[in-house]
Every structure is written in structure tokens, then in C-alpha cells.
Amino acid sequence: MFGRCLTRLRPIRNVRICFLSKTEPCYCCLSQEQDPAAAKTCPFVSLNTIKSLHTAIAYFCSCQPQKELRMRQLNFDNQALKCLPFDPSDDVKTQRPVPNACFSKAQPTPVENPVMVAYSSSALALLGLSVEDIETNEAVEYFSGNKIMKGSEPAAHCYCGYQFGLFSGQLGDGAAMYLGEVINDKSERWEIQLKGAGLTPFSRGADGRKVLRSSIREFLCSEAFHYLGIPTTRAGTCITSDSTVVRDIFYSGNPIHEKCTIVLRIAPTFLRFGSFEIFKEEDDLTKRSGPSTGNKELLFQLLDYSVKSFYPEIWSEHQNDKQQMYLNFYKEIVKRTAKLVAAWQCVGWCHGVLNTDNMSILGLTVDYGPFGFMDRFNDDFICNSSDGEGRYSYSKQPEICKWNCRKLAEDIQEAVPLDKTLPELENIFDKTFNDEYFGMMKKKLGFQKDHKELNNIVKDLLKTMSSTGADFTNTFRFLSKLAVPGGEGNGLDEALEYLVSNCSTIEELKADCQLRVNSRDFNLILAIAQTNPDILTQLGPEVRKVFKELERIENARKLADRSQEEKEQSDKTEWKAWLEQYLQLLQTEASEEDDLEGFCKKRVHLMNSVNPRYYIVPIVSSYNHECFSMIDFNINILQF
């Protein structure tokens, strides 16, 4: 039998274990050929002492010499802690303000019986770790926080944030811990974090833990984004345990015990917009301030560290002109942020919590929380159930990211005045977003040349998808199967049949038109609107909810007497009009090519490289929780 040790104690290769009889000794060798003569004198255990094949493999593994595990030799060089001020307090658990410091000490809280759920071999390779290094009990102990690696210095980062548009004061790493920075064999520097490792001074009354369902979601989406080419932090491992915390999944008053789970996160840095908000003076609205208000020296220290470490080309070019250096630093963040949100829009993804503390200074997707991929296209798609106002809806993500960039400009205005940063924001963000968005849409639709009609083609497609309730991901994926005139593939009739079958039913659209607010409150506000509309201006976000509900009521009225057959016929008419427009532009492009077959193959390859076949459905249910709880992760380990 060949393979790896099922106990995950030590990796083995090219191992054969033979049982000659019930009384004869077992024979183990590292070659693939048996030696019967040697078997008779085998010094190892006999079958009588081995209760199972599982035990035999484990016993054999313990007899083999093992190479030194690489994770014991990771090259830590924790520059962030050397270059930025560190809170001197040894109190690693108590919630408290942390003034004039970027980090405070932290200590992971051990968990009971940790076990590997999943790991990403490509992410761990960034640290110089192999599969053999990871499939060990020692790796589980280190990456669950039960043991600390040599050279690691656990810490929690201090930052602030605007949450749902309001300044919240000090936030910080309440459930994440910096372990250190690893230099790999290519001289690349990677910061590693444990998310869900327990209390820190920033836990804000919570327990510093994450659970299995949310941790698996973060692990999967981090790695999915990496392979989709969307800038992201990486997920190295996901480890669960027998330790539990209490969570009320639906906020229904029915809490349950869930397994404590820890994710190893990897990125060049986890610094964020909120890192620069610790200097903010008292906010006029919330009356909260940053813990390091007025500390200009620390602001410049943090700026210099960020530019020198993560934008070295800007540092080298502008060392003698600090203001220009900081301005270029800001401009680059704006560009990367605009490109990032364009990538999200192109795969129909919503972050859900686009607070300033969840925005990376490197333009990476960070902090996967209540994210969601759209099913059917809906510009107003909201993935976060607590976002009743729709501030972070799909269509508003570009606007919110730009708003967050404006807040970053305000954060660093002591170093670069707003009259320099804000004009650059206006000049850069929208243009960068549009160029990136339509550039990616060009690939998603399989165009290999620029066309002035592209913008209208895209807008008409999204309009058709919205009105027919078409599935976002499946629609783009299917279009690669559509035949270019004169080429092979699905014809217009087959395409129409598929696209119409992929649209929402009339019943699904009617269900979407149901009231989403308390009917009593809605009727009260509606009565006020009819008698004294001026009062509505004083009701804030509630007014927008009313208008949304009125829109749903109007849509429900239009759908009331409509049959499924009528909807399908209408959908077919809309899709036919768009497909004819799309095929005409494809034919124009194909007519300029000498090799039509080669053109078609290149088109399909291009489209399939940017249009995912699958996406993650964030099912949150008690059934989902029970399914995860029944899996034995000692045997079932996900490898990516």
C-alpha cells in the first residue's frame, strides 16, 4: 500500500506494508519490491500486535528518520515591530485604549484538540513550506496558536475606522494576531496572521474567536480570488478544534455552540486605511477620536514605513521631497483601490462591510465577512443582512471605495494638504475604474480588439440581465459557447433557449417584491408622506427605505396579472435583441481575421479565463452548521 500516513503524523512516500499471515511478522520496506527472505527475519512488529492498518502505518512512520521541519527554521524579520512604536503594556487580554502605538502585545489562546480542515499548498509555498511540512501535528499546533514558532512575535495592530459612514474610534485587531514577517528563499517578505486566535486589547467585548462556517468561507474565497486574478490576502490553513463559543446565527434568541476555528492569513502587509485614522481628532458627529490624536511624529513615521516597505520605487524617487512622495503614495493607493473594486464588479461580488478599516493600502481584498456573489443580476444586491440602508450594495461599491479614499486623504492631510490629494482623487479614481471595468468586460465578452460600441453593449447586457432576472455568472460563462457567425458552437435559437431558461420565474420576481420593512412602520411613514412630505427630510435613512418599498409595490403591481408564459416570451424578445447586437460586433471582429478557427479558440480561452464556472454560495443555516460538525477532519482534509 502506498500513500501518506492517515494520522497526519509524518508524511511517507513509496511505502509498502505487507501482512504475510496472522502469525508471521509484517514486512515494511521503502522500495516497491518485496523481499520474502527479508520478511522472515523482519525485526518489526507482528500482525498480532497491530489492531488495524491505520495503526500499522502510524507505527511504521514512527520508525523512520525525519528531516527537520521547515517551519522550525522560518526566517522571521519583524520589521513592522522594529520600525513602528509598540505598546509597552504586558496586558494582552484586557480591552483598553492603546495610545501612541501601532501595535500591542498579544498571545494566542490555546484550543482543545486542533485539527486541520484545509490548507492551500500554493499559499504556504510563499513561506517556503511544503506539503510534508504542513501535514504534521506540529503544523497544526503552530497554526492554531497552541505553539509559537521561533522568531514569531505575536501582536495586535491598532487602527480606527468609519463603520457605515460613522467614525467609530479605536477598533484594532480584535480577532486577528500578527505573528511576524517571514523572508522566503526568494527574499520576499510575507506577514502572517492568525484570525480567530483569541482575545487581544482590541476585542471590544467579544471573545476574539471565529467559527468553522465563517472561517471556511474566508479560506475558500481568499484562494478563489487569487486564482481569479483578483488582488487578495491569502489563506494558508484553516484549523478547527473541540473548543467552542456561543453564537446566535440568525439573531433569533436561539444560540448554539460552534467550534473555534483559526485561519492563517498571508499578505505583504495588513495595514489599512484605518491605520492612519488613529490620529483623528474628535469627530463632530460621534464625538469619538483616535487614540493617538495630534501625534504628528507618529503619522510621519507610519507614512515613511509604509512607503519605504511597500512602495520602494516611490521612496527611491522622492526621498528629497517628502510631500511629493506622500502624494504619489496616495495616488497609487487610489489607483489600486479603483482597480480592485472594478474586479469585484466584474464577478458580481459584494464585500458587505466596506468600512475604512477593511480597506488595504495595497489594494487587496481583505477581511472576508458577510460577502456574497450575486445569483441573478441585481444592481441593488445586498449581501449583509445588517445593511438595511444598502450603503454597501453592489452598485454602490465604487462610490463607497472612492468615499473611503477621500477619508484617507483627510487622515494624512498633515503630510499632504487636501488641495493636492482631492483633485488627484477626482482625476484618478473614476477614469481608472472605468478603464479597468470595461477592459475586463471586454475580455468577459470575448472581444480581442477595442470597439467604441463596447460600453453600450455592456450596459444593454446588464439591463437585459436585470429585467429578465438572469444569473450573472452562468450568463457570462455560457456566452463563450455561442458560435461566432461562420464558426462552431451554439446557434441563436439554442442560445435563446438556454438564456431564457436561466432567468428568474415570475413567482421568484413576485417574491422579490414583498415588503421588507415592518408593514405598520411603512404605512405610518407613507401616511406622513401624503399629508406632510416636508417631515420626510427629518427621517434620514428611513425615507430611502420607503421609496424602495414603493418601487417594489409598483413592480408587484406590474407583475400581478402576468403569466410565466408571457414572461418567457418577453425574456426571449429582450435576449434576442441583445444577442443580435452582440453577434454583429463579433462578426465584424472575426471578419478581419484570416484564421477563423484560431480566432474562435482564442476567444473561448480568453472568456473562460475570466468567467468563473463556479462561485461560493454563502449558505448560513443550522443544517449547514450540523453538516460541518459531522465531518471528521482527521481523515477529510481539503487541499488546494
Side-chain angles (χ1 to χ4, degrees):
M1 179 177 179
F2 300 88
R4 288 197 186 94
C5 172
L6 297 181
T7 61
R8 307 287 174 181
L9 290 174
R10 294 183 177 87
I12 58 176
R13 295 186 183 277
N14 296 329
V15 173
R16 172 169 286 173
I17 298 180
C18 309
F19 299 104
L20 302 180
S21 73
K22 288 186 177 181
T23 57
E24 290 179 305
C26 73
Y27 170 58
C28 307
C29 68
L30 291 176
S31 69
Q32 295 187 15
E33 300 297 328
Q34 295 186 45
D35 182 355
K40 295 180 181 179
T41 59
C42 176
F44 296 121
V45 295
S46 69
L47 185 61
N48 293 331
T49 64
I50 298 177
K51 303 301 182 183
S52 67
L53 179 60
H54 187 279
T55 308
I57 297 175
Y59 183 91
F60 176 78
C61 292
S62 67
C63 299
Q64 302 306 307
Q66 299 295 315
K67 67 177 183 180
E68 185 76 10
L69 289 177
R70 181 63 188 270
M71 66 179 56
R72 296 177 187 169
Q73 305 171 350
L74 288 180
N75 180 19
F76 279 93
D77 180 28
N78 307 324
Q79 282 296 311
L81 303 187
K82 296 175 183 177
C83 298
L84 298 173
F86 196 84
D87 176 33
S89 174
D90 291 324
D91 186 353
V92 298
K93 304 291 184 184
T94 305
Q95 176 185 342
R96 54 190 168 79
V98 179
N100 303 315
C102 293
F103 289 91
S104 65
K105 293 181 182 179
Q107 185 67 35
T109 303
V111 291
E112 296 178 9
N113 302 320
V115 61
M116 187 79 72
V117 174
Y119 64 83
S120 168
S121 55
S122 65
L124 292 165
L126 298 173
L127 308 179
L129 297 177
S130 66
V131 171
E132 286 74 16
D133 294 311
I134 297 306
E135 293 188 346
T136 63
N137 279 346
E138 193 164 17
V140 173
E141 291 292 309
Y142 282 134
F143 294 144
S144 65
N146 281 13
K147 290 184 178 180
I148 304 299
M149 288 175 282
K150 182 180 179 181
S152 173
E153 299 178 81
H157 177 42
C158 180
Y159 54 82
C160 296
Y162 283 84
Q163 299 188 312
F164 290 90
L166 299 175
F167 185 68
S168 298
Q170 177 179 292
L171 299 172
D173 285 335
M177 289 186 197
Y178 166 103
L179 292 185
E181 300 159 51
V182 175
I183 309 296
N184 64 18
D185 293 338
K186 299 177 182 178
S187 298
E188 297 170 335
R189 179 183 298 273
W190 295 97
E191 179 182 328
I192 58 175
Q193 267 193 359
L194 293 183
K195 184 173 181 179
L199 288 170
T200 77
F202 308 108
S203 293
R204 305 188 297 281
D207 52 31
R209 291 298 192 188
K210 296 298 177 182
V211 297
L212 182 56
R213 55 188 167 82
S214 62
S215 299
I216 287 179
R217 280 162 41 83
E218 170 147 1
F219 179 91
L220 291 176
C221 201
S222 297
E223 292 308 284
F225 265 26
H226 169 70
Y227 286 102
L228 284 172
I230 299 174
T232 180
T233 58
R234 302 293 302 275
T237 61
C238 179
I239 295 173
T240 194
S241 69
D242 288 341
S243 298
T244 62
V245 288
V246 176
R247 295 288 187 268
D248 187 347
I249 299 178
F250 299 107
Y251 305 101
S252 60
N254 297 302
I256 60 174
H257 287 272
E258 297 194 67
K259 291 178 178 290
C260 295
T261 306
I262 301 97
V263 173
L264 174 71
R265 305 200 299 183
I266 305 169
T269 183
F270 286 88
L271 290 179
R272 51 201 69 209
F273 289 14
S275 303
F276 294 89
E277 290 170 349
I278 62 174
F279 314 105
K280 180 175 169 55
E281 296 180 355
E282 183 179 284
D283 185 79
D284 293 337
L285 191 60
T286 65
K287 304 303 179 184
R288 294 177 178 175
S289 59
S292 301
T293 299
N295 192 335
K296 295 182 182 180
E297 181 181 351
L298 179 52
L299 169 62
F300 284 96
Q301 191 176 353
L302 180 57
L303 280 168
D304 285 347
Y305 168 76
S306 300
V307 179
K308 185 176 182 179
S309 300
F310 309 112
Y311 294 91
E313 65 287 350
I314 296 177
W315 175 266
S316 300
E317 187 176 352
H318 298 289
Q319 282 190 65
N320 297 325
D321 186 350
K322 287 294 186 74
Q323 188 176 103
Q324 187 61 45
M325 180 175 74
Y326 301 146
L327 179 60
N328 284 12
F329 167 64
Y330 175 76
K331 288 164 61 177
E332 188 61 30
I333 292 175
V334 170
K335 287 179 186 177
R336 294 191 185 194
T337 303
K339 289 181 178 181
L340 177 66
V341 69
W344 294 346
Q345 301 301 99
C346 286
V347 294
W349 187 80
C350 247
H351 185 285
V353 199
L354 276 178
N355 303 327
T356 55
D357 54 291
N358 293 332
M359 301 289 295
S360 163
I361 67 165
L362 298 183
L364 304 176
T365 310
V366 65
D367 290 342
Y368 292 84
F371 69 83
F373 286 88
M374 280 193 290
D375 292 323
R376 67 181 182 86
F377 180 75
N378 176 11
D379 231 12
D380 296 324
F381 172 64
I382 300 171
C383 62
N384 184 353
S385 60
S386 62
D387 186 13
E389 187 181 338
R391 176 181 175 84
Y392 298 143
S393 65
Y394 171 79
S395 62
K396 290 184 179 178
Q397 288 189 133
E399 172 191 339
I400 291 298
C401 285
K402 186 177 180 180
W403 187 90
N404 288 341
C405 286
R406 181 185 179 91
K407 289 302 172 185
L408 178 61
E410 294 174 5
D411 299 334
I412 63 172
Q413 61 183 306
E414 292 290 345
V416 192
L418 290 175
D419 61 7
K420 291 186 178 293
T421 51
L422 294 186
E424 294 292 355
L425 174 61
E426 294 302 324
N427 292 336
I428 293 172
F429 191 93
D430 293 342
K431 183 181 185 306
T432 302
F433 173 82
N434 286 325
D435 289 347
E436 189 74 10
Y437 177 78
F438 286 107
M440 294 179 72
M441 280 295 182
K442 171 185 166 184
K443 295 178 181 178
K444 289 175 74 70
L445 292 174
F447 292 116
Q448 299 169 44
K449 297 180 181 179
D450 293 329
H451 300 280
K452 62 181 181 181
E453 301 92 342
L454 176 65
N455 289 17
N456 288 333
I457 286 279
V458 172
K459 291 174 182 177
D460 289 346
L461 170 61
L462 297 182
K463 182 179 178 181
T464 302
M465 291 171 68
S466 178
S467 61
T468 62
D471 185 281
F472 185 88
T473 301
N474 289 342
T475 297
F476 278 105
R477 187 74 184 185
F478 171 77
L479 289 176
S480 66
K481 300 177 182 179
L482 184 64
V484 175
E488 296 182 356
N490 291 305
L492 182 60
D493 291 340
E494 292 89 348
L496 283 173
E497 182 179 353
Y498 174 83
L499 290 170
V500 171
S501 69
N502 198 44
C503 295
S504 299
T505 65
I506 190 69
E507 294 303 321
E508 288 172 336
L509 292 183
K510 288 179 179 179
D512 194 49
C513 293
Q514 294 178 355
L515 283 178
R516 298 185 183 180
V517 297
N518 182 283
S519 59
R520 179 182 175 184
D521 294 343
F522 174 75
N523 290 330
L524 176 61
I525 296 175
L526 190 59
I528 294 173
Q530 293 171 343
T531 57
N532 194 348
D534 293 337
I535 296 181
L536 288 180
T537 59
Q538 303 174 24
L539 298 179
E542 296 301 319
V543 177
R544 287 188 284 274
K545 291 182 183 179
V546 169
F547 287 127
K548 272 293 177 187
E549 296 307 319
L550 288 174
E551 186 179 323
R552 289 192 179 93
I553 291 173
E554 178 61 20
N555 289 337
R557 186 188 64 78
K558 293 178 180 178
L559 295 171
D561 299 324
R562 199 176 185 189
S563 67
Q564 178 63 26
E565 292 74 19
E566 289 173 328
K567 181 185 183 299
E568 289 179 2
Q569 186 57 46
S570 174
D571 292 348
K572 187 174 182 179
T573 300
E574 287 192 59
W575 274 113
K576 184 178 180 181
W578 183 83
L579 284 171
E580 288 175 346
Q581 181 186 8
Y582 174 56
L583 287 171
Q584 183 178 358
L585 195 56
L586 276 179
Q587 186 173 21
T588 300
E589 188 169 285
S591 65
E592 300 173 0
E593 299 291 328
D594 295 329
D595 180 8
L596 180 60
E597 183 179 354
F599 170 83
C600 292
K601 287 182 178 179
K602 188 175 180 181
R603 169 181 170 267
V604 171
H605 176 76
L606 177 66
M607 295 179 74
N608 288 344
S609 69
V610 293
N611 292 317
R613 179 181 295 179
Y614 308 110
Y615 59 93
I616 299 168
V617 179
I619 300 174
V620 179
S621 66
S622 56
Y623 172 76
N624 184 236
H625 164 72
E626 290 166 5
C627 287
F628 282 140
S629 299
M630 290 188 294
I631 298 174
D632 182 357
F633 289 110
N634 282 295
I635 298 175
N636 302 282
I637 296 181
L638 303 175
Q639 179 182 352
F640 295 83

